[in-house]
Amino acid sequence: MLKVTNVLLTVHDHDEALGFYRDQLGFAVTQDVSYEGMRWSYEGMRWVTVTPPDQPDVHVVLETPQSWPDAPQSDRDAALDLLAKGLMSRLVFTTDDVDALHDKLSAAGAEITSEPVDQHYGVRDFGVRDPSGNQLRFNQPLASPPAWG
């Protein structure tokens, strides 16, 4: 057996990310551990994981570049720059009603980067930037995918 259990997603602020993933997408917070005060901790170290409501065995680890223990500050700053430009991380989700999810996220004020559209590769999808700038795609397989060509 070989399974994916954790996906690391870079965010610039844990609490703001939780506001999006927990409060808007309905993810469950499975771990939120602060290491402040421990002898081996350092500033900003916090372990936060969330899981999609219909996939509790896959944990999305929300981590800030400030919590990377071995990275020099210049690398952390570079990661924050890439994150702000939407070039750091991308995730793709599948839902059974992409239009309803689009309407829900749009009403909640999410930054929609592309409206729902039927794609030639067999899904209907739309795009969102999370509060940190990560590019997210939400798709729904089409019942009758268009023919290629």
Side-chain angles (χ1 to χ4, degrees), residues 9-13 16 21 63-66 68 76-90 129-135:
L9 183 66
T10 305
V11 299
H12 71 268
D13 181 272
E16 191 173 40
Y21 289 95
E63 66 169 3
T64 65
Q66 298 307 322
W68 296 349
R76 294 174 186 173
D77 292 343
L80 286 170
D81 288 343
L82 292 172
L83 186 60
K85 294 175 183 174
L87 300 173
M88 192 68 185
S89 304
R90 297 180 183 97
R129 277 176 48 112
D130 78 4
S132 293
N134 294 302
Q135 300 287 330

Side-chain angles (χ1 to χ4, degrees), residues 41-119:
S41 80
Y42 50 90
E43 185 177 345
M45 188 171 182
R46 183 176 169 192
W47 183 259
V48 179
T49 63
V50 294
T51 59
D54 297 314
Q55 203 171 21
D57 58 336
V58 174
H59 300 263
V60 179
V61 179
L62 306 173
E63 66 169 3
T64 65
Q66 298 307 322
S67 64
W68 296 349
D70 301 321
Q73 188 60 45
S74 59
D75 288 350
R76 294 174 186 173
D77 292 343
L80 286 170
D81 288 343
L82 292 172
L83 186 60
K85 294 175 183 174
L87 300 173
M88 192 68 185
S89 304
R90 297 180 183 97
L91 288 178
V92 179
F93 299 92
T94 296
T95 181
D96 56 359
D97 192 341
V98 76
D99 291 298
L101 183 59
H102 167 269
D103 293 347
K104 175 184 171 185
L105 292 177
S106 183
E111 182 181 347
I112 306 295
T113 58
S114 64
E115 296 295 323
V117 63
D118 292 350
Q119 300 287 359

Side-chain angles (χ1 to χ4, degrees), residues 33-42 44-48:
V33 180
S34 172
Y35 293 88
E36 296 297 323
M38 296 186 164
R39 90 180 133 87
W40 45 268
S41 80
Y42 50 90
M45 188 171 182
R46 183 176 169 192
W47 183 259
V48 179

